[in-house]
Amino acid sequence: MAAKTPQTPQAPKEPKEPGPPGGESVRVDSWIWSVRLVKTRSAGASACRGGHVKVNGTSAKPAYALRVGDEVRLRQPGQRERVVVVKRLLRKRVGAPVAVEAYVDNSPPPPPREVVAPVGIRDRGTGRPTKRDRRELERLRGVFGQGPGEETGPEQH
């Protein structure tokens, strides 16, 4: 029988962080899902296929190999464009506080909210607006462009 060689005691292993070993690469659809930029991984893949995800200025397919330092631009309908720089690669979805540490957000600030004039609200049961009421509402809403010298809408003769 072979004699056993004494093994050197190993240092206790630190808990492994979610991410690829050795700083490799991660799929872009998986990464944008894991850092909570999209709700589902399939939504991330759909965004990539639709051309809404750009990495370093070029459109990225879902399996694009993302690396630390890459700039990811994500456009989502009804939302502003997100511009993030990858700081850490993640494969599994993590909590929001950890996810924020995985990228640097360089997104432009959201546009200021537009001040919308209140639309004329009529009391219930008052019936249809008269012609005079309708013209006042149109003037309030600015439907007709008032040029110089025009005092009323285009109905003027």
Side-chain angles (χ1 to χ4, degrees):
M1 279 201 186
K4 289 187 176 182
T5 57
Q7 294 182 353
T8 58
Q10 294 179 351
K13 292 185 178 181
E14 294 181 24
K16 189 176 178 184
E17 292 188 23
E24 297 170 0
S25 62
V26 174
R27 290 174 56 112
V28 68
D29 63 339
S30 178
W31 187 81
I32 62 175
W33 165 73
S34 64
V35 295
R36 297 175 174 265
L37 294 178
V38 292
K39 287 189 176 185
T40 63
R41 183 167 170 218
S42 62
S46 297
C48 291
R49 281 192 298 272
H52 302 293
V53 178
K54 294 184 186 277
V55 178
N56 298 328
T58 60
S59 290
K61 292 183 178 180
Y64 183 90
L66 197 62
R67 301 186 190 291
V68 174
D70 286 346
E71 180 188 67
V72 178
R73 291 179 174 267
L74 173 67
R75 271 187 308 117
Q76 290 179 312
Q79 297 181 9
R80 63 189 176 114
E81 182 181 36
R82 300 290 305 266
V83 180
V84 296
V85 177
V86 179
K87 230 166 60 170
R88 196 168 98 197
L89 298 175
L90 301 172
R91 288 184 195 218
K92 303 251 180 187
R93 193 168 173 99
V94 293
V98 178
V100 172
E101 295 172 359
Y103 60 86
V104 177
D105 196 355
N106 293 336
S107 302
R113 288 188 160 193
E114 295 180 9
V115 178
V116 180
V119 179
I121 300 173
R122 296 179 52 82
D123 293 329
R124 186 174 175 97
T126 56
R128 292 179 56 176
T130 62
K131 192 171 190 177
R132 183 179 189 183
D133 293 340
R134 182 182 54 81
R135 285 187 177 159
E136 287 177 4
L137 284 171
E138 287 173 351
R139 197 173 307 117
L140 177 67
R141 290 181 187 153
V143 173
F144 298 114
Q146 303 273 328
E150 286 185 351
E151 293 186 32
T152 60
E155 288 94 13
Q156 184 183 15
H157 291 275

